[in-house]
Amino acid sequence: LLAQEAGLKVRGHPGSVHQPATHSDVAPEPNSSTGLLQVSLQGTPHQVTGTVQGSTPVLQQINGATFKQAAPLSGPLLIYRAKASDASALATLAGLLSKAGSQLLSYHSSSTVAGEQWSVVGLSAPLSNLGELKPRVTEAFQLHL
């Protein structure tokens, strides 16, 4: 429901790469309030695990990379994957935020999987151009939830 309200197309089974986002429910652990979804963003499939804390959905895991502190999924978000040993993505992001007059409201990074980490960044306003960031990351996308 939250995805649909955010303008994402949601279907019961993984769809074609032409869909902005699709999901399919996967059985969670027994007696768990955690949900597991297969999500396709910009045609790339991702397996995400999350739950709801209070009234806020939170991301706990993406593609096997676990967030020590669950990342809140609300407002403008930037989610990116980059080499864990390279801090240039965060430095570049700070410069982009400064140029755009936007603020970093929250930052959550995942455990390292295959030498890379996921970052979930809460922003005061979405960035209009990720061009400078893209060479420093494996993938990046913005959502507004």
Side-chain angles (χ1 to χ4, degrees):
L1 182 60
L2 290 172
Q4 288 174 332
E5 288 175 358
L8 299 174
K9 294 179 183 176
V10 179
R11 298 184 335 172
H13 300 286
S16 72
V17 296
H18 302 294
Q19 295 294 323
T22 60
H23 88 282
S24 61
D25 296 326
V26 181
E29 295 291 322
N31 302 318
S32 170
S33 63
T34 299
L36 177 65
L37 293 175
Q38 184 79 25
V39 180
S40 231
L41 294 166
Q42 298 174 345
T44 304
H46 299 286
Q47 190 175 72
V48 296
T49 304
T51 190
V52 177
Q53 293 179 349
S55 62
T56 304
V58 295
L59 180 63
Q60 297 170 311
Q61 189 178 75
I62 185 168
N63 296 346
T66 303
F67 291 88
K68 187 174 183 180
Q69 296 286 330
L73 299 176
S74 64
L77 296 171
L78 171 65
I79 301 174
Y80 67 88
R81 180 169 51 109
K83 289 184 181 178
S85 60
D86 185 0
S88 69
L90 187 56
T92 300
L93 176 59
L96 288 173
L97 290 170
S98 177
K99 287 179 194 176
S102 185
Q103 295 177 341
L104 188 148
L105 301 179
S106 64
Y107 178 83
H108 293 80
S109 62
S110 72
S111 59
T112 301
V113 173
E116 294 187 318
Q117 284 181 305
W118 284 92
S119 296
V120 177
V121 185
L123 304 173
S124 61
L127 293 169
S128 61
N129 187 346
L130 298 179
E132 290 179 45
L133 182 64
K134 292 206 174 193
R136 309 227 183 292
V137 300
T138 306
E139 65 181 308
F141 46 90
Q142 291 190 94
L143 303 170
H144 193 134
L145 302 173

